[in-house]
Amino acid sequence: MSQPVISLRDVSVRLNNHTVLEDVSFDVESPSFITIVGPNGAGKTTLIKLLLGMIKPVKGSVKVLGMDPFKESERLRSLVGYVPQRDRVSYETPLRVWEVVLMGVFLKKRFPRTISSSDLESARIALEYLGMSEYWEYFFNELSGGQQRRVLIARALASDPVLLLLDEVFSGLDSESQQYLLNVFRMLRDRNRTILIVEHEVDPIMELTEKILVLNKTVCAYGDPNEVLSEDKLKPIYPCLKMIEKEGRRIFILGDKHA
Ligand SMILES: Nc1ncnc2c1ncn2[C@@H]1O[C@H](COP(=O)(O)OP(=O)(O)OP(=O)(O)O)[C@@H](O)[C@H]1O
Ligand SMILES: [Mg+2]
């Protein structure tokens, strides 16, 4: 059997003398689409940073693609795409859209780093997937927040990552951009890539979600969406939980997101 994509055992993280993650254990056995939900401050972003080797656990073991992210950070990052949870990224030097996207390829190369015509082609294709080709020559800093987000997703895609980590990239986008992104997700699924996405609303990405992980400092529930999305599993961590019926489906309004 091939190695799990992600494997965490009893992982705890302390930041500033506070326990932010405690005894977190879960496995992602094979390529899949995992949605992580949890209230503000639950440790979702911290978990993603842990998977990237940006944070060291005080306890437990973390394996991503068979590697210890903290010890093999550089090798791991050449295989992982990451789009952080931020509204705007500004660069001190004004960069054009194509330069931002190429960074995704360039920074993952070994020295001496050079840009080939196939790198440019990868950047072009990635922008096309996000419907952003026409912005190739634009300055990144002049784009709207949603357009910047699409470019940053293209940057993460350009190196064709095995694992894509996305921190609240979906819900802030308009519906056309969301459609582009859903198509990207479908394409990646067909290529057996793993996507781990943090979102406050599961419903818009429900059709792709194979497993849901409910995090609140520790793993509260993890598994098939139909099992996890139940009132008794969610109510303890979402006191404002509401359930509505739409077109015969149950939709949970978790009642926790960003302003
Ligand atoms: N660098 C840091 N130093 C100290 N505490 C931190 C640091 N980063 C995060 N924290 C704390 O860790 C906890 C978890 O933060 P995290 O950003 O992982 O939450 P989150 O689940 O992503 O929340 P949100 O939904 O608001 O994005 C919070 O209490 C936060 O204040
Ligand atoms: Mg976060």
Side-chain angles (χ1 to χ4, degrees):
M1 203 182 84
S2 61
Q3 68 190 9
V5 183
I6 295 169
S7 182
L8 266 71
R9 281 290 157 279
D10 305 318
V11 175
S12 297
V13 169
R14 283 178 73 78
L15 296 173
N16 234 351
N17 279 330
H18 291 282
T19 302
V20 174
L21 293 174
E22 191 164 28
D23 291 326
V24 172
S25 300
F26 72 96
D27 287 324
V28 178
E29 291 289 352
S30 53
S32 46
F33 192 103
I34 316 283
T35 301
I36 301 179
V37 296
N40 295 138
K44 304 180 296 298
T45 298
T46 305
L47 175 62
I48 286 193
K49 288 182 176 171
L50 183 78
L51 298 176
L52 286 161
M54 293 161 75
I55 287 175
K56 197 178 176 187
V58 287
K59 171 174 146 325
S61 103
V62 183
K63 284 266 184 281
V64 181
L65 304 172
M67 291 173 249
D68 175 336
F70 203 72
K71 289 189 182 141
E72 295 173 85
S73 167
E74 200 172 328
R75 202 176 127 221
L76 183 66
R77 282 193 214 176
S78 69
L79 299 167
V80 179
Y82 169 49
V83 184
Q85 172 187 10
R86 278 170 80 172
D87 280 330
R88 289 183 96 93
V89 177
S90 61
Y91 295 105
E92 277 180 24
T93 328
L95 290 178
R96 301 210 181 252
V97 163
W98 66 270
E99 291 173 303
V100 172
V101 178
L102 266 180
M103 272 177 168
V105 184
F106 188 71
L107 294 175
K108 292 182 177 183
K109 289 193 164 202
R110 291 176 180 279
F111 286 103
R113 289 167 168 163
T114 51
I115 296 294
S116 66
S117 57
S118 80
D119 295 334
L120 280 166
E121 186 58 16
S122 304
R124 234 179 253 290
I125 293 171
L127 277 172
E128 216 168 284
Y129 271 122
L130 273 304
M132 289 297 290
S133 305
E134 65 191 280
Y135 296 92
W136 181 261
E137 284 286 344
Y138 279 53
F139 282 112
F140 179 80
N141 288 344
E142 289 170 2
L143 300 180
S144 73
Q147 290 169 334
Q148 289 192 348
R149 171 119 331 157
R150 282 156 77 175
V151 172
L152 293 177
I153 297 165
R155 181 180 69 175
L157 278 186
S159 59
D160 192 18
V162 179
L163 170 65
L164 191 57
L165 304 173
L166 304 170
D167 199 347
E168 295 195 41
V169 299
F170 193 84
S171 51
L173 294 175
D174 62 70
S175 62
E176 188 196 298
S177 308
Q178 289 189 344
Q179 284 310 318
Y180 277 112
L181 200 46
L182 286 173
N183 285 335
V184 166
F185 292 157
R186 289 187 197 106
M187 177 272 288
L188 292 171
R189 183 186 54 189
D190 293 345
R191 290 193 195 171
N192 276 338
R193 305 309 194 218
T194 294
I195 300 172
L196 213 87
I197 182 166
V198 170
E199 283 296 329
H200 283 284
E201 285 170 50
V202 188
D203 196 52
I205 45 171
M206 193 61 179
E207 67 159 291
L208 286 147
T209 299
E210 288 164 71
K211 278 190 178 174
I212 295 183
L213 190 149
V214 185
L215 187 75
N216 195 15
K217 200 191 270 191
T218 194
V219 178
C220 303
Y222 177 52
D224 185 80
N226 293 324
E227 283 167 31
V228 171
L229 292 181
S230 68
E231 216 159 339
D232 55 326
K233 289 226 169 71
L234 295 175
K235 198 81 187 176
I237 67 160
Y238 289 107
C240 303
L241 183 81
K242 281 197 200 91
M243 205 221 1
I244 54 168
E245 297 266 348
K246 194 173 145 192
E247 292 157 8
R249 288 185 307 129
R250 283 174 312 156
I251 296 174
F252 286 93
I253 314 287
L254 301 177
D256 201 353
K257 56 176 145 182
H258 291 280

